[in-house]
Amino acid sequence: MKKIVDERLTFLNLQHIKITYIVQTLGVLLILGHDFLEGGLEKMKANLLWVVFILSSVVYSYLSLSISVEHEKEIKRPFRSFLLSLFVLLVIGSITAYLTSVTSGFNWSDGVLFGGIIL
């Protein structure tokens, strides 16, 4: 007899697992938050749920490393978005430099320095 595998049921099962993981993580965070409010950071770290929370976060991060985006077909041009980001940062830095230079107690060199730091 052949076992019937339905992708929709598998996907639904994965959604249920995801919801369960979210509820579990929220429960752990609420318990740790209660311990933090009651006894501070030391009491929160002394609880074994802290270890469970850190361990589950590390495992989730490790498992997320294998997820790739190879199925994307659209090739994006990073140079265009880089130029747009650079332009926006230049505008913000220039505005900051101008506003700093017109502020009393500062001169144009302070404005250029602060705008360059922001940039």
Side-chain angles (χ1 to χ4, degrees), residues 92-104 106 111 114:
I92 292 172
S94 300
I95 290 172
T96 305
Y98 174 73
L99 291 177
T100 303
S101 66
V102 298
T103 304
S104 62
F106 294 101
F114 194 65

Side-chain angles (χ1 to χ4, degrees), residues 28-50:
V28 168
L29 285 175
L30 287 174
I31 292 171
L32 290 174
H34 180 266
D35 283 348
F36 178 73
L37 292 176
E38 291 293 317
L41 192 61
E42 295 300 321
K43 184 177 179 186
M44 182 182 76
K45 286 184 178 179
N47 194 342
L48 288 178
L49 283 177
W50 176 256

Side-chain angles (χ1 to χ4, degrees), residues 2-119:
K2 184 178 177 185
K3 183 178 179 182
I4 299 175
V5 178
D6 189 5
E7 290 84 15
R8 294 174 296 177
L9 293 177
T10 304
F11 183 71
L12 188 62
N13 191 23
L14 288 174
Q15 284 181 335
H16 290 164
I17 291 172
K18 181 176 83 171
I19 292 170
T20 304
Y21 178 75
I22 290 171
V23 169
Q24 175 187 354
T25 304
L26 286 175
V28 168
L29 285 175
L30 287 174
I31 292 171
L32 290 174
H34 180 266
D35 283 348
F36 178 73
L37 292 176
E38 291 293 317
L41 192 61
E42 295 300 321
K43 184 177 179 186
M44 182 182 76
K45 286 184 178 179
N47 194 342
L48 288 178
L49 283 177
W50 176 256
V51 176
V52 171
F53 176 68
I54 295 297
L55 184 64
S56 63
S57 297
V58 168
V59 168
Y60 176 72
S61 299
Y62 178 73
L63 292 175
S64 294
L65 288 175
S66 66
I67 297 175
S68 67
V69 291
E70 293 177 4
H71 64 278
E72 275 191 33
K73 295 187 184 352
E74 180 183 345
I75 297 174
K76 296 181 180 178
R77 298 184 58 170
F79 186 71
R80 187 170 157 195
S81 63
F82 172 72
L83 286 179
L84 180 65
S85 300
L86 187 62
F87 177 74
V88 169
L89 288 175
L90 278 172
V91 168
I92 292 172
S94 300
I95 290 172
T96 305
Y98 174 73
L99 291 177
T100 303
S101 66
V102 298
T103 304
S104 62
F106 294 101
N107 56 15
W108 65 270
S109 62
D110 294 329
V112 169
L113 178 67
F114 194 65
I117 290 172
I118 294 296
L119 176 67

